[in-house]
Amino acid sequence: MLDLHVSWDEYHQSIELLAKQIYQSQWEFDRIICLARGGLRVGDILSRIFKKPLAILAASSYGGDRERGKLSIASQITMTDPSMGSRVLVVDDLVDSGVTLQQTTVWLRDLYPEIEELKTAVIWYKACSLYIPDYYVSYLPSNPWIHQPFEKYDNFDILTMLKQR
């Protein structure tokens, strides 16, 4: 399988399956940290389902193409309350090489020593990853490129949209 195309319905169903898996593990957590951009929607929905505060950490290793670049992590986390909590769930859409999740979890533990337990959750876990997430919906042994429904906006601009309307 070279590419995996995901519809909005499949995307939302996958997030619900991820929530079910986390719930059934009976692991209690204080906060969700989503990795932006890919984990924004996942984190938002899980935050609503579990009624837990959401924090956002911008991290990126991809540009507008399929080439992986150097990982960039923001210098701060955005959150509305001052306490991180001792049990944190870090979410992203997928784990590819594993570099992003591995390095951000190290970064979080260094910056927030109050974190006693940290677990990770993704929708898709590719076999090529060196990092194994604690929770995932789909294991992908063939390492496909994943086309998510919102990616149509990656090659979209406001002027094109206005011309189409």
Side-chain angles (χ1 to χ4, degrees):
M1 178 180 357
L2 296 176
D3 286 26
L4 174 63
H5 294 267
V6 180
S7 70
W8 277 113
D9 283 343
E10 293 166 325
Y11 182 76
H12 288 121
Q13 288 170 353
S14 293
I15 296 171
E16 291 170 11
L17 287 171
L18 186 60
K20 182 178 177 181
Q21 186 182 127
I22 295 164
Y23 176 77
Q24 289 176 335
S25 78
Q26 298 183 345
W27 182 61
E28 296 290 328
F29 54 94
D30 306 311
R31 168 175 309 281
I32 296 172
I33 299 174
C34 67
L35 301 183
R37 289 188 315 183
L40 281 170
R41 290 162 195 84
V42 180
D44 175 52
I45 292 170
L46 292 178
S47 174
R48 293 168 189 271
I49 290 171
F50 287 106
K51 311 295 186 249
K52 297 292 182 181
L54 180 66
I56 302 168
L57 176 60
S60 177
S61 61
Y62 279 97
D65 54 19
R66 295 182 183 201
E67 294 299 316
R68 191 176 308 128
K70 183 178 182 236
L71 177 64
S72 297
I73 301 174
S75 59
Q76 297 179 17
I77 290 180
T78 300
M79 56 187 190
T80 56
D81 52 334
S83 174
M84 176 59 69
S86 62
R87 293 177 317 277
V88 174
L89 178 65
V90 177
V91 300
D92 205 351
D93 54 351
L94 61 95
V95 60
D96 192 341
S97 70
V99 170
T100 301
L101 274 179
Q102 190 276 329
Q103 289 187 13
T104 54
T105 56
V106 169
W107 183 89
L108 285 164
R109 287 184 182 280
D110 287 346
L111 195 62
Y112 295 95
E114 66 267 29
I115 296 176
E116 295 173 10
E117 195 172 6
L118 184 149
K119 292 192 179 189
T120 56
V122 298
I123 298 172
W124 300 284
Y125 163 33
K126 293 185 181 183
C128 60
S129 176
L130 299 175
Y131 184 93
I132 301 170
D134 296 288
Y135 306 102
Y136 59 90
V137 175
S138 298
Y139 175 73
L140 304 172
S142 62
N143 303 308
W145 186 260
I146 302 167
H147 298 271
Q148 299 182 53
F150 48 82
E151 289 177 354
K152 79 175 199 173
Y153 298 103
D154 286 349
N155 298 314
F156 204 82
D157 63 64
I158 189 67
L159 294 177
T160 304
M161 184 188 75
L162 291 172
K163 287 178 188 175
Q164 293 174 352
R165 303 282 179 218

